[in-house]
Amino acid sequence: MDYLYTEYYLVVDLATGEAEEVELEEEFVQENVGGAKLNMALYEEHKDGDPVVLGTGPFTSTLVPGGCLGVITAKSPVTGNVAHAPITWNAGAELKLSGYSFVVIKNKADNPTYLWLHDEIADFVDASALWGKDVWETVDVIRDEQGEDRIQLLSIGKAGENKLSTAQIMNNYWGDGDRFGFGALFGEKNLKAVAVRGMGELDIDDAEAFIEKTEELLGKVKSALPGKSGLDAIDFADIPDDAKAALKSQLHRVEADFNNPFAYKFFLKYREDPSVMKSTDVEEPGVLISDPMGLAALLKAGVPADAVGEVFEKAFKLGLNPAAVASKLSGKDKDAALAELDSLAESSEAEKFEATFSPFAPSSDRMEAAYIAGICPVLASKVEALNAEMFAELMSIGTGMDFDADAFKM
Amino acid sequence: MAIKVDPEKCINCGACELGCSFYRDEVFTTMSASVMMYREEKKNYFGIMLKREDDMILGRPEGVEIQKEGEESDSDAGASAKPILLREPCDNCKNAMCVRFCPTGSLIEVD
């Protein structure tokens, strides 16, 4: 594919230790567009290998506002069906720039392994020494081992290693939108992590027109956003007012996903004065609230607001999905909740639910199109202009091919 | 024309890196920009580095520092700056894409 995507996608067979580069044909993109839709086509093609498909949309890693999204597609241990979870933050963008817009990971490795994708190279790396390490240690070790602190990681902790449906695939140190127990699939495959970093470049067919349209769209996005960020902006998560007040005493800075104008993520500092802006020798001062609906679930279960940051951190280190384990923490104080998480990482089961797209972001009629386009679903829920018609117009300009709004439907 | 950095407004989205790289090469990448994000992720410590002809602007959360060529910084941002040293300096282009695509006004053009 000449435009907006990389030339190849990758099919990884963990059983044989082989990775095959496959040309991403124009016809395949014309038919399946990208993101969750193209992932689904790859899933069907390789379903005998119980694949986990990592993919990007046409606008991932571009200047289209919200163009951060990668998508994980696999058969969910929670729902029993094929489902799609978001990759927010920077990993989706970095995946595409590593040289592979899509990666199909099938079968099971004989020994713990991590995949290191960089500059159109796929390395299988022995992860025996990482098995048993928590998520934060895993991130630090792999970044140190590969010598780059901008490496983005999708990894599992103890919960994933134990193949629990409450496990999630983590995004660097933080939880992301995997409500489907995909962390258990990494555990089943003996796959500790996928690390991505790249110096790739994406071409655009009519670059001038694409930038003009994108800048016009950015104006609409900025107008539609509430002018708030972080804790004040997460009206889609049901956070009680008294909890908000308590959380504000720990509040540090807000952060955004890659090229996402909507900074809905925020950092709680509880091992250091949150007003401290310098980098100090406190190595782990707090936690990024990357999953506001997970936060709401913990608060609803009764986790005290002044302890919820530490509970989040512990769940993230263990690779547990906070929303899936929240009810198990009901009525527990901080110490009891932290202790309970240790046992939940050994044995727990997520409550069943029906969904195709992760209930991590607020539901909207633009969610499906966003998952195909590679646009943050949280941002898309806020901005009407981020719709299938707009995506079709932009993709036609960017690729020189013809797409209509129906292309951005599953 | 020059670029002024207000690190307090930065949300670390990296749109400036994409914009500047596009200005230089007309492709989407983050690798050829004169502006670069840095991040100590576990500490929520992040900001912007802008390489200029004779110095570098370090837009750190605690304030802006101008680092002259050959000077060492006492902050970790100095260590993170190494990759940008290989890049082209900002050429003070007009109507700069890093500014146009910054969603928060963290980068602005000044005379």
Side-chain angles (χ1 to χ4, degrees), chain A residues 43-65:
Chain A
Y43 177 89
E44 288 295 333
E45 188 179 333
H46 296 278
K47 70 178 172 187
D48 289 349
D50 192 21
V52 174
V53 184
L54 310 177
T56 59
F59 307 133
T60 313
S61 305
T62 73
L63 276 168
V64 177

Side-chain angles (χ1 to χ4, degrees), chain A residues 118-186:
Chain A
H118 57 109
D119 307 318
E120 299 182 342
I121 296 169
D123 289 329
F124 296 73
V125 186
D126 179 18
S128 301
L130 289 172
W131 209 255
K133 285 198 185 301
D134 77 33
V135 168
W136 289 28
E137 291 170 321
T138 300
V139 174
D140 290 340
V141 169
I142 292 178
R143 284 179 171 172
D144 191 48
E145 199 165 274
Q146 302 301 344
E148 246 278 30
D149 62 5
R150 283 180 66 152
I151 290 171
Q152 303 300 308
L153 281 133
L154 303 175
S155 75
I156 56 168
K158 189 181 279 187
E161 291 176 10
N162 288 333
K163 308 175 185 61
L164 306 179
S165 59
T166 49
Q168 64 169 327
I169 294 175
M170 305 294 294
N171 190 330
N172 294 348
Y173 303 102
W174 323 116
D176 207 339
D178 172 14
R179 297 282 195 266
F180 293 116
F182 291 154
L185 302 184
F186 268 34

